[in-house]
Amino acid sequence: MVSENTLVLSQGYQPLKVVSWQRAICMSYLRKVELIRAHPEQFIHTVDEVFPLPAVVRLVHHHRHAPLSIRFSRHHVYLRDAHTCQYCDEKFSEHVLTLDHVVPRAHGGKTTWDNVVTACGRCNRRKKNRTPHEARMPLRSMPRKPSWLPATARLGIRCVPEVWQDWLTGASATSNS
Ligand SMILES: [Zn+2]
C-alpha cells in the first residue's frame, strides 16, 4: 500500500501544504494542479491506466492565500530562537531545552510569544521564579511573535523526502537539529 504524500506548491512555486497522494490525484483530475515531480518508480494502477505517484504538484491558477498565522508551540519557540538559550547564548539540541516565562507565571506572566523564550535547563533553574532583572540574567533579545518560520515548520514537516528538497531547501537543515 502506498503511503506517500504530495507537496502542493503555489503557482509561484512556494510550498503551500502537504496532502495525501489520493487528494493530489483528485486535484489533478479536476485540473487544479499540474504534476511537477513524481515519486521515483512508484505507480498507481487502475483498471486500464497507470499513473505516476505525484510527489510535487503546482496550483495551475493564482490563488490568494490568507496570511499565515504562526501557531504558538514549544517547537516553534525553539525555531524562532534558533535553538539558542536566550540567557547564556549557547545552542542546544531540542531535548535539553526548556521554555522560560520571562515574567514568571507566579507573577502573572502569560504563555505568549512575547513572554516565552528558549532556555537551557541550567539557566532556567538558575533564574527560578524571577524576572531577568531580578535574576541579573539579561535576555539576548526581546521575544516577539515571529513573522517567518521555515516552510517545514509552517507545514509541520519533520522529515523532508528527497523529492521535495528542491522546494524546501534551507529548511531541511533545521528539521534535524
Ligand atoms: Zn542557558
Side-chain angles (χ1 to χ4, degrees):
M1 184 61 211
V2 181
S3 64
E4 259 77 1
N5 290 326
T6 306
L7 178 66
V8 180
L9 305 176
S10 69
Q11 198 190 27
Y13 294 89
Q14 294 306 306
L16 274 188
K17 59 183 170 178
V18 175
V19 299
S20 66
W21 64 263
Q22 291 94 333
R23 174 93 190 104
I25 294 272
C26 196
M27 290 163 85
S28 169
Y29 183 76
L30 296 170
R31 299 184 190 278
K32 287 184 177 174
V33 295
E34 62 172 357
L35 180 67
I36 298 293
R37 191 172 290 178
H39 282 288
E41 296 174 33
Q42 297 214 57
F43 300 93
I44 301 146
H45 298 264
T46 65
V47 178
D48 47 17
E49 276 184 286
V50 179
F51 298 100
L53 185 68
V56 180
V57 297
R58 169 180 170 252
L59 291 179
V60 174
H61 300 292
H62 180 69
H63 168 96
R64 270 186 76 86
H65 313 293
L68 289 160
S69 174
I70 300 167
R71 193 171 54 83
F72 179 89
S73 75
R74 173 178 293 272
H75 181 63
H76 288 173
V77 172
Y78 295 158
L79 280 172
R80 178 196 66 186
D81 297 340
H83 293 78
T84 302
C85 172
Q86 298 299 292
Y87 296 105
C88 68
D89 210 12
E90 271 189 63
K91 196 168 175 146
F92 295 90
S93 61
E94 197 149 326
H95 68 278
V96 293
L97 287 173
T98 63
L99 293 182
D100 173 63
H101 286 75
V102 176
V103 175
R105 269 183 294 190
H107 300 333
K110 301 246 165 44
T111 303
T112 51
W113 282 112
D114 53 11
N115 191 50
V116 173
V117 294
T118 302
C120 70
R122 197 163 144 257
C123 288
N124 206 335
R125 281 191 300 277
R126 200 180 126 209
K127 180 172 171 274
K128 298 186 186 136
N129 267 348
R130 296 178 294 181
T131 63
H133 182 73
E134 288 166 343
R136 296 186 187 184
M137 293 170 68
L139 280 167
R140 65 190 286 276
S141 61
M142 289 309 289
R144 56 192 189 86
K145 184 173 179 170
S147 56
W148 182 89
L149 280 180
T152 45
R154 277 194 285 111
L155 305 181
I157 304 168
R158 287 303 187 109
C159 174
V160 179
E162 208 178 321
V163 281
W164 292 359
Q165 278 176 5
D166 285 354
W167 294 277
L168 294 167
T169 43
S172 57
T174 53
S175 65
N176 300 323
S177 62

